[in-house]
Amino acid sequence: STTAASETTAGPATTNAALAYLTQTRGLTTKTLRKYGVGRGYYNFPSSDPNSAARYVREECVTFPWIMRASEVHEQEELREPPGRFDWVEEEEEEEENENENENEEENGSDDSSGDAAEAKIAAEASLEATSKGDAPLTKARGPWTTRRIKARSLNHKGHQRLDPPGGGWGLFGWHTVPADATSVVVTEGEYDAMAVYQATGRPAISLPNGCRSLPLEVLPLLERFDTIYLWMDNDGPGREGAEKFANKLGAKRCLIVSPKPEHVDNKGGSPKDANDALRMGLDLDDMLNKSEIMPHEQLLRFEDFREQVLHEIVHPDKYTGVGVTSLPLFTSIIKGFRRGEMTLITGPTGSGKTTFLGQLSLDFAEQGVNTLWGSF
């Protein structure tokens, strides 16, 4: 089971590792964190220490809420297979009843809330309260804001992430911060990048739910109303591949790809990997957005189109490695992992160990959260 105790940044500042990391390392202000509803929580993850007797370890995490209108959740549920159900009118009535019951309990001095669970959504709810002020007509027409899901990322292990609750729907981090009349939006690969763009430019910015390859079908209707979509993925191979894929998915004519130009460097000549890097380097994020370009034609290439990519691959070969085989480090160092878009054939005579070898690969992949499909022919 998973439990979380979310601690809001909207209240008085407290000394904790998460807040220090967000403000000092990531360069984000508490005002930005409040607006996006970022919080702190504790989640259990499988232990990676072979010498530890404990199967799970409790880790401090940063929590990112996916907040949407109730009517949008209802529309999403209808798209799921099989269709789900979310009657937001009924939900709103139930919430009012619960609020009345809570008020009565408070008057009677009783409180049966359970510590961790009661605090799990404090940060998101604080952001909701601030966002909902002054939009009563819109709330009546499209329903109140509701937290669709919470994404938790461990401070100590980048690969330790959790979606709470498991099996829920998809959302876009920061969606509730986008004005109803906005005609353009910046879509980033990560949560820190979206907050960096908003903090530096004031432009509406949201992030993908799960990295540069994650744009679920359920969130596409949310983006239909925008005339212009800025795609600001990481400045590496997977990021550029994701930007091109999403531009085709969303409509290439209304999408602009954001990437650093030669003038977008710091004092040491370094180029930012993403929007949060650009913020911490003190670069002009507005200028980078203004110099974004439409996706180049797939059959027309200029030298400058791939010069930076080739240079990046030479300087950072580790960024272009695939999924490694942790139990076979020498093998991984030779083939550089299994890369996306490649097909690997394992051949050999009967009884040579092909199935055993592939079984070991499957176990390694499963431990890294990589889906594996076996087929018998």
Side-chain angles (χ1 to χ4, degrees):
S1 62
T2 301
T3 59
S6 182
E7 185 169 309
T8 179
T9 56
T14 57
T15 303
N16 62 67
L19 186 58
Y21 173 76
L22 292 167
T23 55
Q24 298 172 20
T25 304
R26 289 292 179 173
L28 300 169
T29 65
T30 53
K31 180 180 179 181
T32 300
L33 299 174
R34 290 191 190 101
K35 185 174 183 67
Y36 278 81
V38 177
R40 179 179 73 159
Y42 290 89
Y43 284 80
N44 296 326
F45 294 94
S47 175
S48 57
D49 184 1
N51 299 320
S52 174
R55 295 179 56 192
Y56 292 89
V57 291
R58 187 173 171 84
E59 298 182 7
E60 184 177 358
C61 300
V62 178
T63 58
F64 308 97
W66 297 345
I67 299 173
M68 305 167 58
R69 289 283 184 186
S71 58
E72 294 166 340
V73 176
H74 175 75
E75 292 170 359
Q76 270 197 3
E77 287 299 317
E78 291 185 329
L79 289 174
R80 300 183 74 175
E81 189 61 40
R85 181 180 176 184
F86 184 84
D87 297 323
W88 61 269
V89 176
E90 294 179 7
E91 292 285 338
E92 188 175 5
E93 292 174 353
E94 290 178 5
E95 287 180 5
E96 291 178 357
E97 292 177 2
N98 291 336
E99 286 177 2
N100 293 333
E101 290 177 2
N102 291 338
E103 288 176 1
N104 293 334
E105 289 178 358
E106 288 175 3
E107 291 175 359
N108 297 329
S110 63
D111 182 13
D112 61 352
S113 61
S114 57
D116 284 358
E119 297 179 5
K121 295 182 179 180
I122 293 178
E125 290 174 356
S127 180
L128 283 175
E129 184 177 352
T131 303
S132 300
K133 290 180 179 178
D135 68 350
L138 200 58
T139 298
K140 186 175 181 180
R142 298 172 56 191
W145 291 107
T146 182
T147 301
R148 180 63 156 152
R149 220 167 171 189
I150 290 178
K151 179 179 178 181
R153 293 183 59 177
S154 171
L155 285 176
N156 299 323
H157 298 86
K158 185 178 180 181
H160 284 183
Q161 300 186 25
R162 186 68 49 82
L163 295 179
D164 187 12
W170 294 100
L172 295 166
F173 173 69
W175 178 248
H176 66 292
T177 68
V178 180
D181 58 352
T183 58
S184 65
V185 67
V186 182
V187 178
T188 66
E189 182 171 330
E191 294 83 7
Y192 302 128
D193 302 319
M195 290 187 285
V197 170
Y198 170 78
Q199 181 172 301
T201 69
R203 304 193 194 199
I206 57 180
S207 83
L208 298 171
N210 202 21
C212 66
R213 296 189 175 100
S214 175
L215 186 59
L217 174 66
E218 293 94 324
V219 303
L220 292 181
L222 301 177
L223 302 174
E224 288 180 355
R225 66 183 175 96
F226 298 105
D227 298 329
T228 305
I229 299 176
Y230 297 89
L231 296 173
W232 197 332
M233 304 293 109
D234 286 0
N235 186 35
D236 54 21
R240 283 189 287 270
E241 178 186 334
E244 293 179 5
K245 176 183 175 182
F246 297 148
N248 288 322
K249 204 170 185 178
L250 296 168
K253 291 184 178 179
R254 63 172 179 152
C255 290
L256 295 172
I257 310 296
V258 184
S259 59
K261 299 297 184 285
E263 62 269 26
H264 298 141
V265 295
D266 61 9
N267 306 357
K268 301 178 181 177
S271 182
K273 179 180 75 73
D274 51 37
N276 188 244
D277 268 0
L279 174 72
R280 291 183 290 173
M281 292 165 64
L283 300 180
D284 188 342
L285 276 68
D286 249 326
D287 184 60
M288 297 181 72
L289 286 166
N290 291 334
K291 292 181 178 178
S292 57
E293 300 176 339
I294 61 172
M295 187 177 67
H297 195 284
E298 60 180 7
Q299 296 181 350
L300 296 176
L301 289 176
R302 300 169 299 176
F303 177 72
E304 53 266 31
D305 292 334
F306 57 87
R307 174 178 55 190
E308 187 175 339
Q309 180 178 351
V310 172
L311 179 62
H312 194 274
E313 290 186 20
I314 295 174
V315 178
H316 305 284
D318 57 303
K319 300 290 185 181
Y320 296 86
T321 58
V323 179
V325 184
T326 54
S327 63
L328 301 171
L330 180 60
F331 175 73
T332 299
S333 67
I334 294 173
I335 70 167
K336 308 304 180 187
F338 291 88
R339 288 171 288 274
R340 184 181 179 85
E342 294 183 354
M343 175 181 288
T344 303
L345 300 178
I346 309 295
T347 64
T350 303
S352 61
K354 299 186 298 297
T355 302
T356 302
F357 177 68
L358 291 173
Q360 183 59 47
L361 294 185
S362 298
L363 290 174
D364 283 320
F365 291 162
E367 290 180 350
Q368 300 176 67
V370 178
N371 295 329
T372 305
L373 173 67
W374 278 70
S376 179
F377 301 96

